[in-house]
Amino acid sequence: MKGLAIAANGLRKSYGDKTVLDGVDLAVPEGTIFALLGPNGAGKTTAVKILSTLVSPDPASGEIRVGGHDLAADPQAVRAAIGVTGQFSAVDGLITGEENMLLMADLHHLSRDEGRRAAARLLERFDLVEAAKKPASTYSGGMKRRLDIAMTLVGGPRIIFLDEPTTGLDPRSRHTMWQIIRELVSDGVTVFLTTQYLEEADELADRIAVLNDGRIAAEGTAGELKRLVPGGHVRLRFSDPARHRDALSALADAIGDDEALTVQIPSGGSQRELRSVLDRLDRAGIEADELTVHTPDLDNVFFALTGSAGLPHQSKESVR
Ligand SMILES: Nc1ncnc2c1ncn2[C@@H]1O[C@H](COP(=O)(O)OP(=O)(O)OP(=O)(O)O)[C@@H](O)[C@H]1O
Ligand SMILES: [Mg+2]
């Protein structure tokens, strides 16, 4: 069985009397993508900074291990295992993209040759060869972001923290970034990312945690999270208007659409709930031409968990 790349118990952080993280547990298996979601100010960047040794957690926190190393006891070992791309760019605009890369190679104590090779390989991979000799201040936002991540990879980290890697990127650049992130993971790298984009978490993450009010409001796969909020339904489609009418009158809680000849029955996405819907259809002798299961999307989940009408702490949901 694979180990955990990141394990945190009761992670806490306050600034003055403001509690930012109020007991956060995290467990990220090696070689997976973990997405931390949350509204502005939820504490995502704070969590990334703590896990990457840039900010210290409150002493009341439990044990935090990153890359198998105790964060408090051996921050140097943690630093050697990780790469961090912050929410705000670390690119130096006054020097070229290539010089930025070589600077990182120096920081990682690569030899001159190794540094040049690593820089060339990564500039190529991130499609920055043409721009490599130009000052980074002339780069577009997307190019800067790519350079940022390329710089993070110079030291060959096994665990990468990406704080909002695609904020401000156009759809094409975003898809390129997703592709890069997937490639990293197929090489065995663990990725911890924060994002405002639910679609991004849905696309990339093996597991997603929603941070709200200093705590994890819910955690699970995208599918598990979607099943937490109402809005799921089974939709039946008929070609025969008479059978559509029969179905509608046989199912008390169903909502019909006379034009599309569809019937919607509220239902969560679980096997048990689906079976109960099918049993009801059987008993009523209803046979649809098409049956599809619809789950709410992550937007629904996000608003349900983080809105002003969000769940109070006591009703924290666990879907492990
Ligand atoms: N150095 C600091 N001193 C005081 N307060 C801070 C400090 N850093 C962060 N905070 C506060 O902690 C809270 C969480 O900030 P953080 O940057 O972690 O949020 P975030 O989830 O990353 O937000 P965003 O989505 O806007 O990036 C905010 O209320 C912020 O004002
Ligand atoms: Mg942030």
Side-chain angles (χ1 to χ4, degrees):
M1 202 190 103
K2 283 187 175 176
L4 292 178
I6 299 166
N9 281 310
L11 181 54
R12 288 175 196 285
K13 181 72 187 176
S14 306
Y15 288 108
D17 56 7
K18 181 176 170 51
T19 304
V20 178
L21 299 175
D22 189 16
V24 169
D25 298 336
L26 297 167
V28 183
E30 279 169 19
T32 65
I33 305 182
F34 182 88
L36 189 61
L37 281 175
N40 288 136
K44 301 180 298 295
T45 296
T46 303
V48 165
K49 284 188 172 164
I50 291 172
L51 294 172
S52 57
T53 78
L54 298 172
V55 160
S56 43
D58 287 352
S61 296
E63 192 186 40
I64 303 168
R65 300 186 77 84
V66 177
H69 308 286
D70 186 320
L71 193 97
D74 204 354
Q76 285 297 350
V78 170
R79 257 170 245 151
I82 65 170
V84 192
T85 303
Q87 182 168 4
F88 303 104
S89 179
V91 169
D92 183 341
L94 295 176
I95 57 177
T96 70
E98 186 178 39
E99 285 162 346
N100 269 286
M101 295 293 286
L102 294 174
L103 204 60
M104 286 307 284
D106 269 355
L107 284 176
H108 285 280
H109 308 295
L110 299 189
S111 73
R112 218 182 127 78
D113 268 3
E114 281 172 332
R116 294 215 162 270
R117 270 202 303 276
R121 184 171 47 80
L122 287 163
L123 287 167
E124 166 89 51
R125 179 168 179 187
F126 286 81
D127 199 15
L128 291 166
V129 174
E130 245 172 75
K133 307 268 188 224
K134 295 182 186 137
S137 57
T138 66
Y139 289 14
S140 73
M143 289 160 75
K144 245 181 229 157
R145 207 68 193 136
R146 291 207 300 277
L147 179 59
D148 240 331
I149 297 191
M151 286 161 63
T152 303
L153 296 180
V154 168
R158 301 301 299 158
I159 302 170
I160 301 176
F161 294 92
L162 302 173
D163 196 357
E164 301 199 20
T166 66
T167 296
L169 297 190
D170 70 25
R172 181 185 300 277
S173 307
R174 173 165 304 147
H175 279 270
T176 307
M177 195 59 77
W178 289 352
Q179 196 50 42
I180 289 168
I181 292 171
R182 288 199 192 95
E183 282 168 21
L184 291 173
V185 173
S186 68
D187 294 343
V189 169
T190 307
V191 174
F192 184 107
L193 66 89
T194 74
T195 182
Q196 310 268 1
Y197 302 111
L198 298 145
E199 188 201 355
E200 178 158 294
D202 206 349
E203 274 284 328
L204 289 178
D206 297 294
R207 292 188 79 77
I208 300 167
V210 181
L211 190 60
N212 189 45
D213 246 356
R215 298 190 183 206
I216 304 287
E219 203 227 313
T221 63
E224 286 168 339
L225 292 181
K226 289 173 192 173
R227 287 198 287 276
L228 285 179
V229 300
H233 59 268
V234 169
R235 184 183 298 157
L236 309 177
R237 215 163 50 79
F238 298 85
S239 46
D240 178 354
R243 286 173 60 193
H244 174 252
R245 255 192 321 276
D246 291 346
L248 206 49
S249 53
L251 301 163
D253 55 346
I255 303 165
D257 180 329
D258 293 339
E259 237 157 68
L261 296 184
T262 57
V263 169
Q264 281 191 21
I265 309 157
S267 168
S270 76
Q271 192 179 339
R272 189 172 44 77
E273 284 164 291
L274 187 56
R275 186 174 298 123
S276 103
V277 170
L278 292 175
D279 285 346
R280 285 176 61 203
L281 297 177
D282 279 348
R283 278 197 302 275
I286 295 166
E287 253 204 67
D289 296 293
E290 184 187 294
L291 179 151
T292 46
V293 180
H294 297 258
T295 44
D297 64 17
L298 273 183
D299 280 328
N300 304 129
V301 180
F302 191 77
F303 290 127
L305 294 171
T306 67
S308 50
L311 296 179
H313 289 152
Q314 301 87 294
S315 60
K316 164 178 167 174
E317 302 256 10
S318 175
V319 288
R320 267 176 219 250

